[in-house]
Amino acid sequence: MTPPSDPAAEAVGCTGLIYSFGDTRAVDGLELSVRAGEVFGLLGPNGAGKTTAIRAITTLLPVPAGMVRVFGQDVARDRMAVRRLLGYVPQQLSADSGLTGRENVALFARVFDVPRAERAERVAQALEAVDLADAADRMAATYSGGMVRRLELAQALVSAPRLLILDEPTIGLDPIARTGVWDRITEIRTATGMTVLVTTHYMDEADQYCDRVGLMHQGRIRALGTPAELKAQLPADGGTATPPTLEDVFRHFAGSRLDKPAGEDFRDVRRTRRTASRVG
Amino acid sequence: MSDAPAAPPRVSAEPRPAAEPRLLFTAPPVRPGWRQAPARVGAMCVVELQKLRHDRTELYTRAVQPALWLLIFGETFTRIRAIPTGGIPYLDYLAPGIIAQSAMFIAIFYGIMIIWERDSGVLTKLLVTPTPRAALVTGKAFAAGVKSVIQAVVVIVIAALLGVGLTWNPLRLLGVAAVVVLGSAFFSCLSMTIAGVVLTRDRLMGIGQAITMPLFFGSNALYPVAVMPGWLRAISRINPLSYQVDALRGLLLGVHAHLAADFGVLALAAALGIVSASALLGRLAR
Ligand SMILES: Nc1ncnc2c1ncn2[C@@H]1O[C@H](COP(=O)(O)OP(=O)(O)OP(=O)(O)O)[C@@H](O)[C@H]1O
Ligand SMILES: [Mg+2]
């Protein structure tokens, strides 16, 4: 995989991205190149560093210049320009519970400089695109988890971002809502050529909707390619007739910790629990 | 007055096909740089007013404490005549102090609010919009000001009902609003600055409580600086609340005040607060 020569054809580029929280090296020399217009899935086990990488790309974490670019703009140098291109749905469910759904979206329209003349209409279209038109004037505090997720998607879409970054967008959604979210994303993407960078733990989603996936483990990409390529790469699993799934690929590349004997794992859990109760 | 037939039909006039969110296909135009900051501040104030409109309980509950101060403390000390007020009834003397106090209590809460917004993920998302940290902080500071002005109106009405002779000169009242906004901007930024240092709600609540009382009693809100011991007088001199109260007394009661100095100190304090709070805001996102 050679990186594209035209910098504008690269939506996200990370070169040697490193980020540590204290002694924890969360992202450890990440090399990533997301092409403009594709849906790129970042997969990996819990703690792989996906969220940390995304927070570096979204300008939330201070990274040195030269490590991360969004459409050719350096995240460390041109923060404002980068943020203008982004729509971001964080892993944590978050909507202002003291406002209605419509007001939540209108705030994002305002801070993205949507002219007053088209603000109401644009907000309405964003709400409609995520099927929240009927609930738009209810307080966000009364929304279900899935509704909050769709509201967040509307907030991210209202500014027509060139790069939509979704950190586990479909977590906690029922199968119909999940399909709904993906259908909306696909719809807007075909109309605008928007790039999507998404993390998910649902392998079926990654398989179905992502043009390419990168498998991240311990702060680095361990495997990269289209879902079909990755599945084809996998060494044939002794004798079984079923073709490998993306989940098999995931286990193959990310399973190193899970390979430990069960007893050891259990001790790990107990140790973590003790630490947790001491901290909490 | 016939419309040109060639004009394309307005989007809003047509029943829009649900599957065609056309406006979402194009990015909004970039506002010229100099208009962005005021727009962001406006957006934050709008949000504050929307929240107040949905839930007015805070307005009512926050009116209780100043009412009690005026009613109990004010009425009692008016009778005792223990405090030299320069010839005006103590209740009149106290009212501007209580306006400043209640505005400060509202503003000090903003640090806790910004930590709450961080914990709930709302702040994180705002930090990924094209909003400079300073604009976000200024927006919050003005939002605190808007809320405090509403609170000040409530206190002024209560005071008027208790017979305090306040000015109704609109220019002076405008000055009162400006003083309240500047004071709230400073105290909300002070609180957001501390939030950016301590980072957790529990620690901030402790510190918030530990500083509000000294700020209040170490000011001229309840008694003139002249009756204070020397060390407290020194504190009062560097306490922006004293300048806020001085200006409010001058504007509302027409007593002698140092309006120019008061406005200068408050504006400088607010500016310093905005600078320090926005420098530390990023820490909350990590
Ligand atoms: N704010 C933080 N402070 C300290 N350590 C952190 C912080 N955020 C993340 N980490 C650590 O960094 C590592 C990577 O975390 P990250 O959240 O990026 O993983 P992830 O791939 O998003 O996991 P998940 O799938 O569970 O969301 C983990 O070891 C985690 O404990
Ligand atoms: Mg994560």
Side-chain angles (χ1 to χ4, degrees):
Chain A
M1 294 274 146
T2 46
S5 48
D6 175 14
E10 187 191 55
V12 181
C14 300
T15 26
L17 174 60
I18 290 175
Y19 198 88
S20 304
F21 295 100
D23 291 335
T24 315
R25 174 70 54 103
V27 176
D28 189 12
L30 175 70
E31 303 286 334
L32 178 68
S33 174
V34 177
R35 297 171 193 154
E38 74 177 341
V39 177
F40 189 96
L42 201 53
L43 310 184
N46 295 130
K50 306 180 294 293
T51 297
T52 309
I54 280 182
R55 299 209 304 146
I57 297 167
T58 52
T59 74
L60 282 168
L61 296 175
V63 292
M67 277 188 181
V68 186
R69 296 163 311 280
V70 173
F71 288 103
Q73 318 234 39
D74 196 303
V75 160
R77 290 211 187 90
D78 304 308
R79 278 162 195 280
M80 285 305 146
V82 167
R83 288 183 197 152
R84 249 179 216 292
L85 306 172
L86 292 182
Y88 173 46
V89 177
Q91 183 167 353
Q92 182 189 10
L93 281 182
S94 54
D96 203 320
S97 53
L99 299 173
T100 65
R102 192 185 305 281
E103 287 163 350
N104 264 292
V105 179
L107 170 62
F108 277 74
R110 283 201 177 87
V111 295
F112 272 97
D113 298 317
V114 172
R116 189 199 304 262
E118 69 176 54
R119 196 184 298 142
E121 184 59 21
R122 196 184 265 262
V123 169
Q125 287 187 8
L127 285 161
E128 199 160 305
V130 297
D131 291 328
L132 279 179
D134 294 333
D137 294 308
R138 270 168 53 188
M139 301 296 289
T142 69
Y143 280 17
S144 75
M147 291 167 84
V148 172
R149 218 19 154 196
R150 283 184 282 145
L151 178 61
E152 291 194 276
L153 198 58
Q155 288 179 309
L157 290 175
V158 78
S159 58
R162 280 180 74 192
L163 171 62
L164 182 63
I165 298 186
L166 310 164
D167 201 349
E168 300 192 28
T170 51
I171 198 166
L173 296 197
D174 67 55
I176 302 168
R178 267 169 65 186
T179 326
V181 163
W182 276 108
D183 287 348
R184 297 305 177 226
I185 294 171
T186 314
E187 216 172 271
I188 292 181
R189 196 174 74 91
T190 38
T192 62
M194 168 177 77
T195 312
V196 181
L197 171 60
V198 60
T199 76
T200 179
H201 288 300
Y202 296 116
M203 294 304 134
D204 56 323
E205 264 180 14
D207 204 350
Q208 188 178 349
Y209 298 107
C210 293
D211 300 322
R212 287 195 307 151
V213 298
L215 237 156
M216 204 173 166
H217 186 35
Q218 292 172 348
R220 229 176 278 177
I221 299 273
R222 307 287 164 167
L224 179 75
T226 66
E229 281 168 1
L230 288 182
K231 284 184 280 188
Q233 260 178 35
L234 208 64
D237 195 8
T240 41
T242 49
T245 62
L246 204 54
E247 185 165 333
D248 297 328
V249 177
F250 184 92
R251 285 183 193 284
H252 179 78
F253 286 100
S256 54
R257 290 245 314 277
L258 304 174
D259 288 340
K260 280 187 224 162
E264 204 173 313
D265 249 359
F266 185 59
R267 270 204 304 280
D268 252 9
V269 171
R270 275 196 314 207
R271 201 180 310 132
T272 326
R273 280 226 193 100
R274 268 204 303 277
T275 322
S277 61
R278 227 184 300 131
V279 172
Chain B
M1 251 192 12
S2 63
D3 282 356
R10 295 268 318 275
V11 179
S12 51
E14 294 281 287
R16 188 168 16 85
E20 265 275 290
R22 264 178 280 167
L23 283 173
L24 302 187
F25 297 165
T26 47
V30 177
R31 215 187 286 251
W34 59 273
R35 282 183 51 199
Q36 278 177 26
R40 298 296 184 277
V41 173
M44 297 299 147
C45 293
V46 167
V47 163
E48 202 63 52
L49 290 171
Q50 285 170 336
K51 284 187 183 170
L52 272 180
R53 196 158 48 83
H54 292 306
D55 187 4
R56 298 206 183 86
T57 39
E58 192 186 347
L59 270 187
Y60 303 137
T61 51
R62 282 207 183 271
V64 173
Q65 209 184 26
L68 290 179
W69 270 98
L70 287 177
L71 213 61
I72 299 172
F73 195 83
E75 293 283 10
T76 310
F77 274 72
T78 301
R79 275 153 204 261
I80 301 178
R81 292 176 208 279
I83 296 169
T85 58
I88 55 174
Y90 184 68
L91 195 60
D92 296 29
Y93 183 83
L94 182 65
I98 296 302
I99 291 175
Q101 177 214 38
S102 50
M104 179 178 77
F105 283 2
I106 285 176
I108 287 285
F109 190 71
Y110 271 72
I112 294 169
M113 197 142 91
I114 204 126
I115 287 185
W116 179 83
E117 290 191 356
R118 190 272 311 265
D119 292 343
S120 71
V122 174
L123 178 68
T124 314
K125 282 201 299 194
L126 276 179
L127 287 174
V128 182
T129 65
T131 306
R133 309 293 197 239
L136 198 70
V137 167
T138 311
K140 294 276 173 203
F142 271 84
V146 167
K147 217 164 165 180
S148 299
V149 166
I150 297 174
Q151 174 78 12
V153 171
V154 173
V155 179
I156 287 176
V157 168
I158 295 173
L161 289 177
L162 291 175
V164 176
L166 300 168
T167 181
W168 296 109
N169 176 336
L171 263 183
R172 280 171 176 267
L173 288 178
L174 214 62
V176 168
V179 168
V180 169
V181 167
L182 285 176
S184 305
F186 168 73
F187 286 113
S188 58
C189 287
L190 175 69
S191 165
M192 287 189 276
T193 301
I194 300 172
V197 174
V198 302
L199 301 177
T200 71
R201 196 183 333 197
D202 294 341
R203 286 183 232 156
L204 182 62
M205 295 240 271
I207 294 181
Q209 261 158 17
I211 62 166
T212 41
M213 279 306 144
L215 280 171
F216 179 46
F217 289 109
S219 79
N220 56 357
L222 296 178
Y223 29 69
V225 178
V227 304
M228 293 180 187
W231 59 270
L232 196 55
R233 220 179 284 184
I235 292 178
S236 174
R237 192 171 283 281
I238 55 165
N239 183 355
L241 191 66
S242 289
Y243 296 87
Q244 193 183 351
V245 173
D246 186 68
L248 289 176
R249 278 201 186 113
L251 290 166
L252 282 170
L253 305 175
V255 298
H256 172 73
H258 320 79
L259 285 181
D262 295 338
F263 269 98
V265 168
L266 287 173
L268 185 69
L272 286 177
I274 288 170
V275 169
S276 65
S278 26
L280 289 168
L281 189 66
R283 270 170 58 87
L284 283 167
R286 277 170 220 168

